[in-house]
Amino acid sequence: MKIGKFDYINNYLPYYYIERERLVKIVTATPKEMIELLENRKIDYAPIPSFYYLKNKNRFRRYRFCVASDGRVYSVIVVSKNGKLGEKVGITSETTTSVNLLKIILAEKGMKCKLVPTKSSKAEDILKSCDSALVIGDSALEARKRFKVVMDLGEEWKDLTGYPIVFGISASIDNAEICDDLIIRSLRWGLKNFDEVVKSAVERFGIDEEFLRKYFKALKHEMDSKCERGLKAFEEFCRDYKLL
């Protein structure tokens, strides 16, 4: 069986053990690419963008593994050169969930600006033509070093609803319970052996250890009752604003 993995550092901890032990074939892709791979049955199980799942949930089986945060997430952010949102917000080409989350947050705050889809995932490219940029994943971690964070969408959502935000949720077309069991086992191993995983990630990615510890701890990877309520709230907001 083949398991999909978002091609970002945010999945390093839950997949660390399963990749180290080579327990299953792992296929890396962006969230948008993951949808196509799963739809075409090139993989058996994967996290997919929550927004896409909510639009098509009658077609998928859903599981426990997820990519979420209960507050600040660090890697789903809006950045700018001057720390201001501006009139034009460029949107990374990699997102489906985050752009709709941003639409909700802006509407709830009564903020009006133009969201501009782009073909780039990098803040420096997007900011050439826009006042600010919505970036996710590793591109967001890089953008934090060069630009000012205007919004952390995980933090904004928590302030708005009191719930975690689920950015990605594991799914399959056919039964893939065995895959979810493997990922959850790998996740729990990673949490128990946190220091080893962090050390390995520091060596591989060259990221500051203190930040990496904070980042990994900010992420939630197993659906619980709070995440379920957060996902439900996101669905309700999307329907209220006619995004679904």
Side-chain angles (χ1 to χ4, degrees):
M1 299 188 80
K2 295 181 180 179
I3 291 179
K5 173 189 174 186
F6 288 161
D7 194 17
Y8 303 136
I9 295 171
N10 64 18
N11 267 325
Y12 192 76
L13 185 147
Y15 283 78
Y16 177 81
Y17 177 76
I18 203 171
E19 289 188 294
R20 190 189 73 173
E21 300 299 315
R22 299 180 181 179
L23 299 178
V24 69
K25 174 71 174 178
I26 302 294
V27 179
T28 59
T30 67
K32 278 189 174 182
E33 292 168 343
M34 201 71 76
I35 294 168
E36 185 176 351
L37 289 170
L38 195 61
E39 291 275 18
N40 293 331
R41 298 178 186 266
K42 293 183 178 179
I43 52 177
D44 301 289
Y45 163 102
I48 59 174
S50 294
F51 182 77
Y52 187 82
Y53 166 75
L54 292 172
K55 284 185 69 175
N56 301 277
K57 59 182 178 180
N58 61 319
R59 295 168 48 207
F60 292 105
R61 296 172 184 262
R62 204 195 79 183
Y63 301 93
R64 292 169 291 171
F65 180 67
C66 66
V67 180
S69 74
D70 191 9
R72 193 173 298 176
V73 67
Y74 298 101
S75 58
V76 183
I77 55 177
V78 177
V79 298
S80 72
K81 295 177 181 178
N82 60 8
K84 297 180 181 179
L85 189 67
E87 295 181 358
K88 291 174 62 179
V89 182
I91 305 299
T92 173
S93 59
E94 296 181 337
T95 179
T96 55
T97 299
S98 300
V99 64
N100 289 290
L101 177 59
L102 179 59
K103 288 176 182 178
I104 292 166
I105 291 167
L106 292 175
E108 289 293 304
K109 284 177 167 285
M111 302 172 71
K112 295 182 179 180
C113 53
K114 184 178 181 180
L115 302 186
V116 182
T118 73
K119 295 181 179 180
S120 179
S121 63
K122 297 184 181 298
E124 55 265 36
D125 294 334
I126 299 172
L127 291 174
K128 290 176 182 177
S129 58
C130 296
D131 301 306
S132 55
L134 170 63
V135 285
I136 67 172
D138 295 3
S139 294
L141 298 183
E142 285 297 318
R144 298 182 69 89
K145 301 174 185 178
R146 300 183 55 188
F147 305 106
K148 295 182 179 180
V149 177
V150 181
M151 288 184 178
D152 180 305
L153 269 59
E155 184 176 37
E156 294 286 346
W157 175 257
K158 177 74 172 183
D159 289 345
L160 175 63
T161 67
Y163 297 132
I165 180 64
V166 180
F167 293 100
I169 189 161
S170 55
S172 70
I173 294 175
D174 301 313
N175 191 306
E177 196 73 43
I178 188 172
C179 295
D180 195 60
D181 289 343
L182 279 172
I183 288 290
I184 295 298
R185 180 154 61 95
S186 182
L187 166 65
R188 292 174 180 173
W189 187 97
L191 293 172
K192 287 180 181 178
N193 297 272
F194 190 74
D195 288 344
E196 178 182 331
V197 178
V198 169
K199 181 180 178 181
S200 173
V202 169
E203 291 174 354
R204 179 168 176 178
F205 301 110
I207 295 177
D208 176 74
E209 181 176 339
E210 183 179 352
F211 173 78
L212 205 53
R213 286 179 175 274
K214 182 170 61 176
Y215 180 45
F216 282 167
K217 287 180 180 179
L219 299 167
K220 293 172 67 71
H221 290 292
E222 189 168 357
M223 291 291 289
D224 57 16
S225 59
K226 287 184 178 179
C227 286
E228 292 287 357
R229 289 196 289 271
L231 184 64
K232 181 64 175 175
F234 180 57
E235 181 177 14
E236 289 172 353
F237 269 112
C238 285
R239 295 198 184 283
D240 288 345
Y241 283 107
K242 296 180 171 51
L243 301 173
L244 284 174

